[in-house]
Amino acid sequence: MQRSVVVSIVVILLLGASLEVLSATITVPDDYPTIQAAIDAAQPGDTMYVKAGRYVENLVIDKPLSLVGVERPAVRIEAEDTEVAVIKIRLEKGGLSISGVTVSGGMVGLQIDVAKDAIVEAQQITAVENRSGIVASGAGTLTIVEWHVVDTWLVGIDVGTGQGELIDTEIVRGDVGVLLRGRGNVRM
């Protein structure tokens, strides 16, 4: 009995170590010149660190990963195309975390479509001068922590997800602060 417990523990430790080896760390602009190039190259589970700077691009993220702005608010992502979201997340399964960035100049600062088997956490983000700060939909789980949504023309935060949580979020100078849609369970 003791031997099987020891073998099980060793197998679990080896699996955990192999998963760590499989995930990589990517730094923008050191490893890739743009955030989108780093996202495209990343494997599920990778962590991307974005150094301080102004990045003019629209991002599309469709895999579980972590995107971390190294020096908030010095990491500023401005929309190249103002008619779409600055960052669009479409996640089918797994977990995605984004933190420490400022997004500006898009139709939406952060557009999220999170499926039932997916979790998105967006924290310590500032959305400035977008038509809407956050628009979230889908059956999955969304957690928004320490957001500052400033100068939106439509809705600060528009949530229509299965499960949602808004923690320490501030909306300044917008037409509509928070819009809750659908039958989901959102806690504020």
Side-chain angles (χ1 to χ4, degrees), residues 43-112:
Q43 298 299 310
D46 285 356
T47 299
M48 298 182 351
Y49 292 99
V50 181
K51 289 186 173 179
R54 179 176 170 257
Y55 300 87
V56 180
E57 53 186 311
N58 297 82
L59 307 179
V60 176
I61 306 172
D62 61 358
K63 59 185 105 173
L65 53 78
S66 294
L67 190 151
V68 180
V70 175
E71 297 176 33
R72 177 186 174 214
V75 176
R76 186 176 181 96
I77 306 168
E78 296 179 5
E80 181 175 35
D81 181 350
T82 61
E83 295 303 314
V84 298
V86 179
I87 301 175
K88 182 176 183 174
I89 296 171
R90 184 178 192 96
L91 193 62
E92 294 295 322
K93 63 181 178 176
L96 185 142
S97 173
I98 181 170
S99 64
V101 299
T102 296
V103 293
S104 68
M107 177 72 76
V108 177
L110 185 62
Q111 181 180 346
I112 303 168

Side-chain angles (χ1 to χ4, degrees), residues 112 114-116 118-122 134-145 157-169 178-188:
I112 303 168
V114 58
K116 181 180 178 185
I119 299 169
V120 173
E121 182 176 292
I134 305 167
V135 175
S137 61
T141 301
L142 171 67
T143 302
I144 298 169
V145 181
I157 300 174
D158 178 343
V159 178
T161 58
Q163 298 291 319
E165 190 169 24
L166 305 175
I167 302 167
D168 294 332
T169 298
V178 177
L179 175 63
L180 303 176
R181 296 178 288 111
R183 299 181 194 188
N185 182 18
V186 177
R187 192 171 75 155
M188 294 194 284

Side-chain angles (χ1 to χ4, degrees), residues 1-9:
M1 177 72 169
Q2 287 180 340
R3 181 183 169 131
S4 64
V5 170
V6 170
V7 169
S8 297
I9 291 171

